[in-house]
Amino acid sequence: VWRVHQIHQCPKGTLYAEQGPVSSVRSCCFPTTLIALIVFFACAISTAAGQNVKGQDPIGIHLLKHRLMVKPDFEAGALEATSVLTIANASGKEVKTISAILHHMLEVTAANTSDGKALRYTQEVVPMADDKATRVRHVQVALDEPLLPGVSISLEIKYQGRLAGYEDAGRAYLKDRVGREFTIIRLDCFAYPLVCSPSMADFVKSVLWDLGHGWDYLLEVTVPEQYVVANGGKLLGRNHENGTITYTYANMKPAWRIDACIAKYDVLENDDASAKVFFLSGNKVDAQRSLDALMRSMDCYSEWFGPLAGIDGFSIIEVPDGYGSQADVTSILQESKAFKGEMHMLYHEVSHLWNPPTLDANPSRFESEGLACFLEYLLVEKLDNTPGYLEKGLKQRRNGFRAQCRSKPDLKDISVAEYGVRDCTEASYTKGPIAFWLLYEIVGEGAFFDSYKRFRQDCGDKGGTLADFMATVKSVSGMDLQRFADEWIYGTRSSEYLLSDMSLQQVLEVYAAESGDSTESRR
Ligand SMILES: [Zn+2]
């Protein structure tokens, strides 16, 4: 079972939430910039690809903006919502029908043009073409005139009904309901319309596109006054009216999902509201701990890698146990139990805010995920004063890599640089942090941090490639690093080391000798 904390696909095309602490091979997500929004995607689309329904290319229709208005009715256990979707036709041909999916219990009541003209539509509850256990409502809206290539339009879709999770489809964390205690509106449960065909492969393709490109959202949720709506975006307003309150949020970075959590939250935030924790009652001590950890890690990364530009904040949102911990671009949803535990997952996510966009066509995710997986341990060890945590974490990642090689024997013969092309970026979460640890040890802490700082200065806005990253480390450290690059990035000798009896310390010694030699030869 693949465990990931964003969009996650197992071999059957099932979505999973990230589950556990270090014990499982964890992967994430976490795209921080327009181009870098690329998801960890375990078994590759190829297992389920090519099953477009009705011939709509999900990558051909791009979402540009989603204005989502939701009004839950706790009494009835239902919601009423309106989505205004601004979409662009990038398919290269005329489009006459827009296909979208929704949770099967949500019923569409109207579809309109942006100027209020009613459009014809059909809706039908169907199983996903490639995942029969997952039923969705397939909505097809007939446009009043064909959408020409390169043109965008806005469509308004009104819908209402209940949410009934997807536990019966084998996704235990999707317990999503509309209720007084806790309500969550999220992508995973198709709680709002997603422009794609009713096929898991198309859904994943369109999410992958969104992760790479992003869109804007405006979220407006109206709740009774004693409730709080939590979202990772920027809070634009809270309007009181007749005993209700409407929360308005907008995304701070290009988005690929909208999460709205509704409960009687308490909120802790720092002075300038750049770090925020939404917590469920009774958990103030843990919330303060999380807030402190969030601020501490942001300070730490700023010091190491340079200040962060253009980020208005980061939020931690507590969700009840069982709902899955997940990460978005500027927030994480954290299960109650994770609130009490170590902060490594938080440190991992926060580090992604510093990642430049990737310019690799098929990113290996090494320099984002590999680094984040290394930093999550390093920060626990350093900031939380937990000696031995890094070593323990790396050992688990090594075991994770070995397990991945058992289930996918050719993995050991695939280089890190090829992980993207060969659909095995999951190994950037296992071999990746070990490679980063080696690099950190070989070049020394100062040069290691400076290298990433320089990489961000050079590539922060325009983006960079794995090759750019390696060239930067080489130049900043003044070391040759050829053998390291040959064995860990562009070759696979590293797999032999990880599968052998050598300790990581012994592996390090291989390069300590080498960098010493190269220093000699430079002299
Ligand atoms: Zn990550």
Side-chain angles (χ1 to χ4, degrees), residues 59-70:
I59 314 296
I61 303 292
H62 300 157
L63 184 62
L64 301 178
K65 181 162 184 173
H66 191 155
R67 181 177 177 197
L68 173 60
M69 290 158 277
V70 186

Side-chain angles (χ1 to χ4, degrees), residues 370-388:
L371 177 62
C373 294
F374 166 64
L375 290 172
E376 67 179 76
Y377 300 134
L378 187 69
L379 259 69
V380 172
E381 178 139 343
K382 279 180 173 286
L383 298 186
D384 301 341
N385 206 4
T386 314

Side-chain angles (χ1 to χ4, degrees), residues 14-37:
T14 312
L15 301 179
Y16 281 88
E18 192 272 335
Q19 298 283 333
V22 253
S23 56
S24 60
V25 172
R26 188 163 66 83
S27 328
C28 108
C29 55
F30 199 42
T32 59
T33 51
L34 192 66
I35 305 168
L37 297 172

Side-chain angles (χ1 to χ4, degrees), residues 5 26-31 348-349 351-352 355 365 368-369 372-373 376 429:
H5 58 259
R26 188 163 66 83
S27 328
C28 108
C29 55
F30 199 42
H348 175 115
E349 301 308 338
S351 82
H352 282 307
N355 295 155
R365 318 220 71 209
S368 53
E369 295 306 338
C373 294
E376 67 179 76
Y429 297 77

Side-chain angles (χ1 to χ4, degrees), residues 217-221 228-239 245-252 267 269 273 276 278 312-315 330:
Y217 69 74
L218 191 67
L219 170 70
E220 296 160 74
V221 185
V228 171
V229 178
N231 169 263
K234 187 178 178 66
L235 180 64
L236 299 184
R238 270 184 298 217
N239 291 332
I245 177 165
T246 299
Y247 282 78
T248 304
Y249 286 96
N251 61 303
M252 291 191 273
V267 183
E269 58 190 5
K276 206 185 274 192
F278 295 91
D312 285 325
F314 194 94
S315 301
T330 53

